[in-house]
Each structure stands twice: as C-alpha cells, then as structure tokens.
Amino acid sequence: MSPPASNTSSSKAPGWANILQRCNQWLMFDVGGGPRPFKLATIINIQKAGSLPFFALLIWFYSTRTEAATSATAWIYLALHGGYGINWLIKDLLFPDPKWQQRSTIVACIFGSAGLALYWLAGWLIISGRTSMDYPLPAPVWFSLCILLCLLGCIIMTAADVQKFCTLKLRQGLITDGMFTWIRHPNYLGEMLVYGGFALLAWHWLPGLVLAFFWGTMFSTNMVMKEVSLARHPGWAAYRQRTWWLLPGVF
C-alpha cells in the first residue's frame, strides 16, 4: 500500500484529483472525529502481519470442506501473500515512511481495517473453493507467471522505497537515478505487480474489481498529487520529459 500524497501545491492539480485526495484523507484519518488512538502505519502493519496466520487458518478451516483448501494453488498463495506481508514489515521497521505516521480517528481505523481486508479476498476465494481457477494457460505456467509478478513487484517496491528513504535522509529534492531512472512511480508499480499476481492466481472478477477501485481512486490520485508536489523542484520538466509514468513506453 502506498502512502497518501502530500497536500503541497494541490491547487495546481486537476479538479478530480483534488476531490479524491480530500476524500481519501478524510476516510483514512479524519472520519468521525474524536480521539486518534492509532497511527495509520499500525493499522497497515497489523493487516500485513496477519496475512500469513489468516490464510493458514483459512486452510485449516476449509481443509475438511473442500479440496481447494489443500491444493497447490492454496499453498502457493499462502507463501506469496504471507511472504509479502513479512517483507512489508521488515521494510517498515527499517525504512518507515513518515507519511504513514499520522494518527487516525477510531472510525477511520475501522474503515481502514475493513478496506485492507478486501486485499484478502483473492486468498479466500482460492482456499474456500469459490473460484474455478480455470486458467487460460496450463497451471504450472500460470503459477510461474504469478510468482514472477509477485517477486518482481516486491523487489521493485522495496528497492524504490528504500532508495527514497535513504536519499531523502541525505538531501531533499528530485530522485532521478536508481529505481527512478526510467519511471517516476516505481513503488506504485511494484505494489500493482504484487497484487496483480495475487488476483491472477485467484482468476476471479472480484479481486480485479477491488484492485480497479483502489488503483483508480487512491493510487492514481496519489501519483498525480506527487507529481504536482515534485514540479516545484528544479529539473522536474526535463526529468518528466525523459521518463514514463509507470511502464517504459507507456504514458
């Protein structure tokens, strides 16, 4: 999950991005008002840490109810999503993003927990046997594709976040080398590859709908607002001209 964008220079952003940013900010931090007991980082980390035991419990619960619960697909999903959660926790422990340290209201914490739980739908569909997993390619080939996407996504996201953390410790301004040499939002690309791999492994329309919602409302807004904020730095125009939004050759 990628951090909320800064409010800097939001007046220069498209109208739709300003509206969605305010809605995202309200839902993640301010809805309901009152006490703010937890940082948003705490809510996210609980969900990440809970992925491995959650899917293990699902396998145990459904093991006597459906063969899908003990299938190769279920165990692969457990390893991929559980491993991704561990990777996230290590990254956040060593290289925390300051934007996640803002505290949320009680209602926002509940809302955030429910929203994050939607990311578990793909695993539940697989383990409960509620998806046919009628893949367009032979299962071993499809498994390889999904594993490859998840591994690449973890590497790209982690490397980008670590580079950003270390670079901004030393200096402020544009980051135009390393993971940011060719694309401007490698951290978002990495996370999209990870969850795209999960959704493809489930091969069901519901995880795709969840991802389309988050990518279309949160990720797109954050990327637009990030670019508006970075535009104040010298060299932005030249950097933007020679790089791509997410994938080289696309946008």
Side-chain angles (χ1 to χ4, degrees), residues 71-122:
S71 65
T73 312
W75 289 110
I76 290 172
Y77 191 92
L78 168 71
L80 289 177
H81 204 146
Y84 165 71
I86 294 171
N87 175 83
W88 176 282
L89 291 172
I90 294 172
K91 178 179 72 71
D92 188 71
L93 175 65
L94 300 177
F95 308 98
D97 194 314
K99 293 186 180 70
W100 290 128
Q101 307 311 310
Q102 184 174 340
R103 290 185 172 273
S104 298
T105 64
I106 294 174
V107 177
C109 289
I110 295 172
F111 181 84
S113 300
L116 289 167
L118 294 176
Y119 282 119
W120 285 344
L121 277 175

Side-chain angles (χ1 to χ4, degrees), residues 3 13 15 25 28 35 57 59 79 95 97 114 120 133-134 152-153 166-167 184 189 207 210 213 224 230 233 246 249:
Q25 178 78 14
M28 289 190 295
L57 284 172
I59 289 175
F95 308 98
D97 194 314
W120 285 344
M133 292 178 288
D134 186 17
L152 283 176
C166 294
T167 301
R184 300 192 294 275
L189 173 62
V210 170
F213 172 76
V224 168
L230 292 177
H233 295 291
L246 284 174

Side-chain angles (χ1 to χ4, degrees), residues 67-199:
E67 293 181 0
T70 53
S71 65
T73 312
W75 289 110
I76 290 172
Y77 191 92
L78 168 71
L80 289 177
H81 204 146
Y84 165 71
I86 294 171
N87 175 83
W88 176 282
L89 291 172
I90 294 172
K91 178 179 72 71
D92 188 71
L93 175 65
L94 300 177
F95 308 98
D97 194 314
K99 293 186 180 70
W100 290 128
Q101 307 311 310
Q102 184 174 340
R103 290 185 172 273
S104 298
T105 64
I106 294 174
V107 177
C109 289
I110 295 172
F111 181 84
S113 300
L116 289 167
L118 294 176
Y119 282 119
W120 285 344
L121 277 175
W124 173 74
L125 289 167
I126 290 171
I127 296 168
S128 65
R130 284 172 169 78
T131 177
S132 65
M133 292 178 288
D134 186 17
Y135 302 131
L137 296 173
V141 177
W142 199 253
F143 293 161
S144 298
L145 172 63
C146 295
I147 292 170
L148 177 63
L149 289 175
C150 291
L151 289 176
L152 283 176
C154 275
I155 292 169
I156 293 171
M157 180 200 68
T158 303
D161 283 350
V162 170
Q163 180 186 357
K164 181 178 71 173
F165 178 89
C166 294
T167 301
L168 295 180
K169 281 282 189 179
L170 299 174
R171 63 169 178 83
Q172 296 295 310
L174 289 178
I175 304 174
T176 60
D177 58 357
M179 295 301 299
F180 298 83
T181 300
W182 299 285
I183 59 175
R184 300 192 294 275
H185 306 284
N187 49 337
Y188 288 93
L189 173 62
E191 192 161 352
M192 292 168 80
L193 289 175
V194 169
Y195 281 102
F198 296 160

Side-chain angles (χ1 to χ4, degrees), residues 1 7-8 11-12 18 24 26 36 44-45 53 66 74 89 106 111-112 118 125 138 155 176 187 207 209 224 236 243:
M1 187 172 181
N7 286 324
T8 305
S11 60
K12 299 179 182 179
N18 278 317
N24 292 338
W26 180 68
R36 298 173 182 265
I44 296 171
N45 288 343
T66 173
L89 291 172
I106 294 174
F111 181 84
L118 294 176
L125 289 167
I155 292 169
T176 60
N187 49 337
L209 182 64
V224 168
W236 165 254
T243 54

